Amino acid sequence: YFFFFQESMHAYAANVYTTVIEELMKGKQRKFIAVEQEFFRLWWDMVATDTQKQQVHQLLQEGRLEFVIGGQVMHDEAVTLIDDQILQLTEGHGFLYETFGFRPQFSWHVDPFGASATTPTLFALAGFNAHLISRIDYDLKADMQKNKKLQFVWQGSPSLSERQEIFTHVMDQYSYCTPSQLPFSNRSGFFWNGLATFPDPPKDGVYPNMSLPVTDANLHLYAQTMVANIKERAAWFRTGDVLWPWGCDKQFFNASVQYSNMDLLVDYINKHSGEFGVTVQYATVSDYFQAVYSRNLTWETRDSQDFLPYSSEPFQAWTGFYTSRSTLKGIARRASSLLYAGESFFTQYVRKHPEGSICKCKALKQLQSLRWAVSEVQHHDGITGTESPKVKDMYMNNLMYGMFNVKKLMASIIFDINNAKKNGEVYSSVYTKDSGRPDVDQYVVVYNPLAWNVTTFVTVSVSNEAVSVYDELGRSVPAQVQSSVESQSTYDLYILVAISGLSYRKYSIKPLNGKQSAFIGRSIKYKRRDLTRADQQGQQLFPVVNNCYQIVFDQNTNLMHSITERETNQTVQFTQEFLEYHVNGDTTKGPISDNYLFAPNASAVPVAKAVGLEVMSGSLMTEIRQYFYSNVTSQDYIYAVYTRLYSVPEGYDGKLLCHRIEQEYSAGPLELNREAVLRTSTNLNTRQLLYTDNNGYQMQKRPFKVYVNNTVARNYYPMVQTAYIEDDTTRLMLLAERAHGVSSQGNGQVEVMLHRRLWNNLQWDLNNNLTLNDSSVVRPVIWLILGTKAVTSTLYRTSGLALEHRPVVMFGALSGDKPKLPRRLQQNSVHDSPVTVPPNLHLQTLSIPGWKYSSNHAEQVRSIHMGKQKQGDADFSRVLLRIRHLYEVGEDPVLSQPVMVDLKSLLKGLGSVTAVEERSLTGTWDVNTLERWKWKTAQYPGKRFFNSTEASEDYIITVHPKEIRTFFVYFQVQ
């Protein structure tokens, strides 16, 4: 299952834990910190002996082994969604608390490529006392270092500000690895175990680059080198405490040689501390921050500005990874969304069908396989696309395996609830267009995982135009069928579904029997236009219209011309084109682009010389298909855009659907060393100001900045879910279902990087197979919303989540007999008691984690101490609930208001609530006992412990702007 992990474990990770634990036991002064739980858990479950496990417990208690961050992985900050960051943290924290009663309180985010302003908020909510980062712009770091400003109190969220602020330490120019140069030797220093070799360790135990051992002869010189570096760094900080990181990537696989050399140095320096002017000690992150905190200084605050993008040198802008391996980014998000749906579906099943026949423990394992896969891919060399193809395949396989498990679980729950004949089949698909069996009578089950009423279209493949769609009561359902974009032999059937919160509906699709049929979309094909000659003729405009927009195309070019927002009658000139940045792959010729870096040679070059156009129009939807060719006679198109405009019949709430211009792109296979962008140009006077989101949680302002070098690449930013441009009255909003790099390279413009294909000869990249020769075709989707600031601000949060969490579609074949569903389905179905929150709140989590720990800390520690925490079934009685306020203070006159929620009534469909406990973000602290350190700032000179929240009386809570509130909920046993 974890091929790569087993390989890494075999060669490296297992050795780290095995030898480090052994060495820590040998010297009371020795310490060690560990971050990523995925590796530790694999060692704990697969390798560790009972003795070693005992020792880990002891070392944790003595504070000599410390887990920092404690998530499954050290997650990327630029291209991940906040939901997935929380998931992976919760996954790791649950294990640590259940196994050791340990709760991490410090961060060590040393390697993500740039720092988001969401992270300080996240870590504050998780109960951390201090946050540590390293990779920020080289020029900014140099400036902060010179002025002793590498430490500050960060108020990452403008709305939560000082309530969730956190002390932040930025590592100096040496970052997180020990400087290894020795002035007295041409061998390196401090890395005595050398470099780990994969996957087979050298037989003679001699590793490459083993540092010069410490001997009597060089002890003094070694100490001088270390002290000189410590003093150099001390000058960059305000206190006399210097954090001196010892180690680097893939170190400590032979801890014995590491500690035995370092012990000699530490002892020697401390014996001669008068002469050297320093004392040194082994320390954990907690020791360091405790020392700084006890100095009781007053710190500067930083507002909600992030540290993105990140450049490590003048020509090294790390903005390529915002788009690298777009397919992996897309699958990771689909998997996350399926997990979200599966969790609430299973929770409802357990609560409402206690007598159900599905084995809960097996179901939990199925969910856990996807929790684990979605958690691990958040790694800063995972979803970023900065891994080798072999590792990328491992991530993909684990995601696909987890998705398969959860789809299977959801299908079997539907079966069980409907008491269906066990010989019928339900097969489910998370890709809307892959229906499995388009040739038979079938039914589709559509689950809406959001806690709002949702009206949208789902797409199903059918083999025939002549079909009708009916709901459970046999009523006809509006639908449209048309020839498929993807294949000549099938049709796309769009079904209009209206489903209440956390509920499902069942629709049957039948061949036509004379009665009401689906509308048939009709095709008009326009002549392919030669763009090189289009300028000479006049325009020939034609409109495509729904209730919200009129989109005008120009038949002379087959390109979009303008969009009118009908409510205000505001017309915006609007054109889209595909361009490619040509990049260099030869290190002898200049800066290169690779998985991480984007280094364009010059401005982007338009690709298409000719455009083909086909319009499919029907009464529910019009789809405009544009095909872009490299010349007028080319056989195959290189890019395509499918633009969909929806019309909603009377009696349906079509507000979101009507305001959405849906675009699906096809890009690839690209030529080598090309980076593909879609550039949208408008006549909005935006002053080249762009807005992009941090992790789908909050927005950042991105003014265009001019640099001496690399201006194009340094003005690229990550769009995880949202980006927009605006002038004084009108805003154009982009919503995405996977991360992309975005930029505004001209006034009124926004460009989205869709795909990259690169090869370079940098030795390091070649050694690690990091050349991104990605010949795939990518099919990302972006929703556009155009309108006044007021209108777009009411729509974009709900729309972004509607795109992220599109309904899950499952298919079943109707058996020969009449598909009259049992009456039970209507009486007892999931949509009898929907779970619904107001539009400015999001039900972020509804799940059964299965943790066995006690939520009373003293009790949990006691039971671990007495060794009672071993086996036993998962706990299915505890439900994890998170509610998030989607708006900032002052963003919208109505939606930015605090919201009162009655948890008892919100969850009444799941049973009678008997107890609610408010917890820290990852669930391991009772918020009433959580006291984070309060660092002194000029604003708040009084240093005090900080308590986070008001107690909830009779299950009624008030959720304030941007809050994420976490609860354990218990129900009456049925």
Side-chain angles (χ1 to χ4, degrees), residues 466-530:
V467 291
S468 304
V469 182
Y470 302 97
D471 66 12
E472 294 103 322
L473 300 173
R475 295 173 302 203
S476 173
V477 173
Q480 178 170 322
V481 65
Q482 59 199 39
S483 66
S484 168
V485 166
E486 283 168 39
S487 89
Q488 301 304 305
S489 57
T490 60
Y491 296 88
D492 292 338
L493 173 64
Y494 287 82
I495 304 171
L496 182 64
V497 298
I499 311 178
S500 46
L502 268 57
S503 305
Y504 71 82
R505 301 288 301 266
K506 198 161 172 175
Y507 301 91
S508 48
I509 300 168
K510 298 189 213 155
L512 206 50
N513 47 13
K515 290 217 302 292
Q516 169 82 37
S517 77
F519 300 111
I520 294 178
R522 292 288 171 221
S523 156
I524 306 169
K525 284 198 168 71
Y526 292 84
K527 200 172 133 218
R528 194 186 295 187
R529 292 296 181 178
D530 182 343

Side-chain angles (χ1 to χ4, degrees), residues 457 479-482 494 518-524 544-546 615-624 645-649:
F457 282 94
Q480 178 170 322
V481 65
Q482 59 199 39
Y494 287 82
F519 300 111
I520 294 178
R522 292 288 171 221
S523 156
I524 306 169
V544 174
V545 185
N546 73 357
V615 178
M616 302 292 301
S617 50
S619 40
L620 297 178
M621 179 189 76
T622 302
E623 182 176 65
I624 300 103
L645 202 57
Y646 297 102
S647 299
V648 185

Side-chain angles (χ1 to χ4, degrees), residues 295 344 390 406 846 848 946:
R295 302 274 182 172
S344 64
K390 183 164 129 189
V406 169
L846 181 67
I848 293 179
F946 213 77

Side-chain angles (χ1 to χ4, degrees), residues 72 81 85 125 165 254 306 339 356 399 525 640 650 703 757 772-773 831 840 877 904 922 947:
Q72 282 292 90
L81 207 51
Q85 299 175 352
L125 289 167
E165 66 189 15
N254 176 352
D306 65 6
L339 176 62
L399 288 166
K525 284 198 168 71
E650 287 295 306
R757 184 180 182 186
L772 204 65
N773 189 353
H831 51 264
N840 50 354
S877 66
K904 211 171 172 121
T922 59
N947 209 333

Side-chain angles (χ1 to χ4, degrees), residues 323 577-582 598 604-605 607 638-639 667-668 670-671 673-679 716 740-741 751-757 778:
T323 306
E577 58 178 338
F578 288 99
L579 301 98
E580 286 174 353
Y581 286 99
H582 293 210
F598 172 41
V605 181
V607 224
I638 32 181
Y639 295 96
L670 303 180
E671 288 173 48
N673 287 331
R674 297 283 188 273
E675 319 218 10
V677 301
L678 173 83
R679 182 177 289 166
Y716 255 81
H740 299 277
E751 64 183 56
V752 180
M753 192 180 287
L754 298 177
H755 202 14
R756 327 176 65 215
R757 184 180 182 186
V778 296

Side-chain angles (χ1 to χ4, degrees), residues 725-956:
I725 53 172
E726 63 184 17
D727 65 10
D728 298 336
T729 58
T730 308
R731 180 182 288 168
L732 169 66
M733 204 106 200
L734 281 65
L735 301 170
E737 41 73 78
R738 71 188 70 177
H740 299 277
V742 290
S743 187
S744 177
Q745 297 283 338
N747 190 24
Q749 281 181 2
V750 58
E751 64 183 56
V752 180
M753 192 180 287
L754 298 177
H755 202 14
R756 327 176 65 215
R757 184 180 182 186
L758 309 168
W759 190 87
N760 70 73
N761 58 6
L762 182 69
Q763 204 49 54
W764 193 86
D765 280 343
L766 293 175
N767 294 349
N768 293 284
N769 198 358
L770 283 174
T771 54
L772 204 65
N773 189 353
D774 180 348
S775 57
S776 63
V777 176
V778 296
R779 308 279 312 241
V781 171
I782 286 181
W783 289 357
L784 307 173
I785 301 175
L786 181 71
T788 60
K789 293 179 186 183
V791 168
T792 54
S793 82
T794 60
L795 295 172
Y796 82 103
R797 295 281 182 193
T798 35
S799 294
L801 283 157
L803 173 57
E804 188 64 34
H805 297 296
R806 286 165 287 186
V808 177
V809 180
M810 288 165 280
F811 299 86
L814 295 172
S815 42
D817 52 357
K818 277 279 160 282
K820 239 357 237 158
L821 298 169
R823 299 303 306 163
R824 267 199 63 205
L825 176 66
Q826 283 133 38
Q827 282 8 192
N828 196 345
S829 73
V830 178
H831 51 264
D832 271 359
S833 45
V835 177
T836 314
V837 296
N840 50 354
L841 295 189
H842 170 44
L843 187 73
Q844 185 162 315
T845 310
L846 181 67
S847 73
I848 293 179
W851 302 312
K852 302 190 276 278
Y853 61 69
S854 163
S855 46
N856 175 318
H857 184 63
E859 208 169 287
Q860 172 62 5
V861 171
R862 195 161 49 243
S863 73
I864 287 172
H865 197 60
M866 294 168 66
K868 284 200 189 126
Q869 267 309 96
K870 296 285 186 287
Q871 285 315 307
D873 277 346
D875 177 0
F876 290 95
S877 66
R878 174 190 287 152
V879 171
L880 175 66
L881 169 75
R882 284 194 193 94
I883 296 176
R884 168 165 129 220
H885 197 303
L886 294 171
Y887 281 80
E888 299 283 359
V889 170
E891 188 180 351
D892 183 275
V894 179
L895 296 169
S896 291
Q897 297 302 318
V899 186
M900 281 177 77
V901 180
D902 181 338
L903 296 178
K904 211 171 172 121
S905 111
L906 174 70
L907 300 172
K908 64 177 184 294
L910 275 69
S912 170
V913 174
T914 56
V916 172
E917 301 165 354
E918 181 156 7
R919 308 291 292 183
S920 61
L921 183 68
T922 59
T924 52
W925 293 86
D926 171 342
V927 289
N928 300 308
T929 62
L930 174 58
E931 297 195 321
R932 293 173 52 232
W933 295 354
K934 179 66 189 164
W935 299 75
K936 273 200 325 198
T937 60
Q939 272 170 293
Y940 297 95
K943 183 162 131 183
R944 64 187 191 288
F945 282 98
F946 213 77
N947 209 333
S948 47
T949 171
E950 87 267 22
S952 57
E953 285 306 306
D954 39 309
Y955 307 121
I956 293 176

Side-chain angles (χ1 to χ4, degrees), residues 176-428:
Y176 64 91
C177 292
T178 315
S180 63
Q181 267 185 310
L182 298 178
F184 56 91
S185 166
N186 53 9
R187 284 179 69 181
S188 71
F190 309 104
F191 294 95
W192 294 285
N193 56 195
L195 292 175
T197 51
F198 279 71
D200 294 306
K203 297 279 177 284
D204 57 3
V206 177
Y207 283 81
N209 287 11
M210 289 173 83
S211 288
L212 185 69
V214 177
T215 61
D216 286 350
N218 65 24
L219 183 54
H220 186 73
L221 296 167
Y222 241 124
Q224 278 181 318
T225 305
M226 185 168 166
V227 168
N229 184 257
I230 290 169
K231 286 183 167 169
E232 181 188 6
R233 294 160 96 152
W236 300 330
F237 292 94
R238 290 181 56 202
T239 78
D241 317 292
V242 178
L243 175 76
W244 199 78
W246 175 41
C248 193
D249 299 4
K250 305 192 182 74
Q251 281 296 310
F252 287 92
F253 55 90
N254 176 352
S256 159
V257 58
Q258 288 282 82
Y259 281 109
S260 56
N261 279 281
M262 188 53 95
D263 280 351
L264 297 169
L265 262 177
V266 168
D267 288 349
Y268 183 80
I269 293 173
N270 289 339
K271 275 205 184 76
H272 300 89
S273 60
E275 174 195 340
F276 285 124
V278 302
T279 57
V280 290
Q281 66 173 72
Y282 287 109
T284 61
V285 184
S286 161
D287 294 333
Y288 172 69
F289 280 124
Q290 187 72 61
V292 176
Y293 183 61
S294 63
R295 302 274 182 172
N296 205 5
L297 298 183
T298 300
W299 300 96
E300 285 188 10
T301 53
R302 178 183 178 87
D303 65 9
S304 56
Q305 188 58 48
D306 65 6
F307 292 95
L308 287 165
Y310 159 61
S311 286
S312 51
E313 288 175 30
F315 284 101
Q316 295 192 346
W318 297 50
T319 57
F321 81 91
Y322 301 160
T323 306
S324 297
R325 300 205 191 286
S326 178
T327 304
L328 174 64
K329 286 176 162 63
I331 299 274
R333 288 273 281 272
R334 299 269 36 81
S336 159
S337 170
L338 178 67
L339 176 62
Y340 175 73
E343 295 279 14
S344 64
F345 204 63
F346 176 64
T347 303
Q348 293 186 82
Y349 174 75
V350 170
R351 292 291 335 132
K352 296 179 187 181
H353 300 274
E355 75 302 331
S357 66
I358 290 175
C359 165
K360 291 193 297 219
C361 289
K362 182 187 170 200
L364 193 59
K365 284 206 164 57
Q366 290 173 307
L367 284 166
Q368 277 167 341
S369 70
L370 190 52
R371 287 177 192 168
W372 190 300
V374 173
S375 293
E376 76 177 8
V377 79
Q378 307 310 317
H379 188 281
H380 59 275
D381 283 314
I383 194 167
T384 50
T386 54
E387 65 284 275
S388 69
K390 183 164 129 189
V391 180
K392 180 259 301 177
D393 292 342
M394 177 211 70
Y395 283 124
M396 288 289 252
N397 292 340
N398 293 345
L399 288 166
M400 299 310 268
Y401 173 71
M403 286 165 85
F404 172 76
N405 280 332
V406 169
K407 287 188 283 186
K408 220 161 60 177
L409 171 62
M410 292 180 77
S412 53
I413 287 176
I414 283 169
F415 245 141
D416 195 61
I417 293 177
N418 291 336
N419 271 344
K421 290 201 193 66
K422 289 291 180 254
N423 58 6
E425 7 167 6
V426 176
Y427 33 91
S428 81

Side-chain angles (χ1 to χ4, degrees), residues 425 427 437-443 462-463 509-511 812-814:
E425 7 167 6
Y427 33 91
R437 298 271 300 274
D439 51 328
V440 286
D441 272 21
Q442 56 179 341
Y443 62 85
V462 291
S463 54
I509 300 168
K510 298 189 213 155
L814 295 172

